[in-house]
Amino acid sequence: ISMKRLNHPVRSTSCRHFQCFDLSSIEIMQARRPHYQDQGGLQACPLCQTWASEGNLFIDGLVKEVVSQVDSSVTEVTVDLETGKWSV
């Protein structure tokens, strides 16, 4: 969404995809669009458009681990969803 490195990788419990977005991107959207918060904040996942209230977002531990361990210059990581192993 923001095209920046993920610091707080989240997704909704309703999402069926592995890709995350950064929690701070929600805060940015709220700051840019004052009516956004009046509508109850995030209503849909910005990636797949399924229901995504702030109450059903979770930080993805695997993605957070990967982000914390790779150099900031890394832009892509391959993850084996069956084993949880990843590589640059």
Side-chain angles (χ1 to χ4, degrees):
I1 298 168
S2 65
M3 303 305 288
K4 294 181 180 179
R5 186 176 180 87
L6 297 175
N7 291 313
H8 305 286
V10 298
R11 66 176 185 255
S12 166
T13 55
S14 303
C15 295
R16 299 290 176 241
H17 53 80
F18 181 70
Q19 186 178 3
C20 296
F21 58 94
D22 199 287
L23 185 59
S24 65
S25 63
I26 295 170
E27 295 164 355
I28 291 168
M29 286 189 291
Q30 289 174 337
R32 289 185 182 164
R33 294 160 60 201
H35 70 280
Y36 189 78
Q37 187 62 37
D38 295 339
Q39 296 172 347
L42 185 67
Q43 297 294 316
C45 171
L47 302 170
C48 68
Q49 304 306 308
T50 61
W51 174 250
S53 70
E54 291 181 27
N56 74 348
L57 296 179
F58 69 95
I59 293 181
D60 187 300
L62 176 60
V63 176
K64 188 162 180 68
E65 174 188 337
V66 171
V67 169
S68 72
Q69 292 185 25
V70 298
D71 187 81
S72 62
S73 64
V74 174
T75 59
E76 189 172 316
V77 173
T78 302
V79 178
D80 182 329
L81 296 179
E82 290 182 20
T83 64
K85 294 183 179 182
W86 54 273
S87 62
V88 177

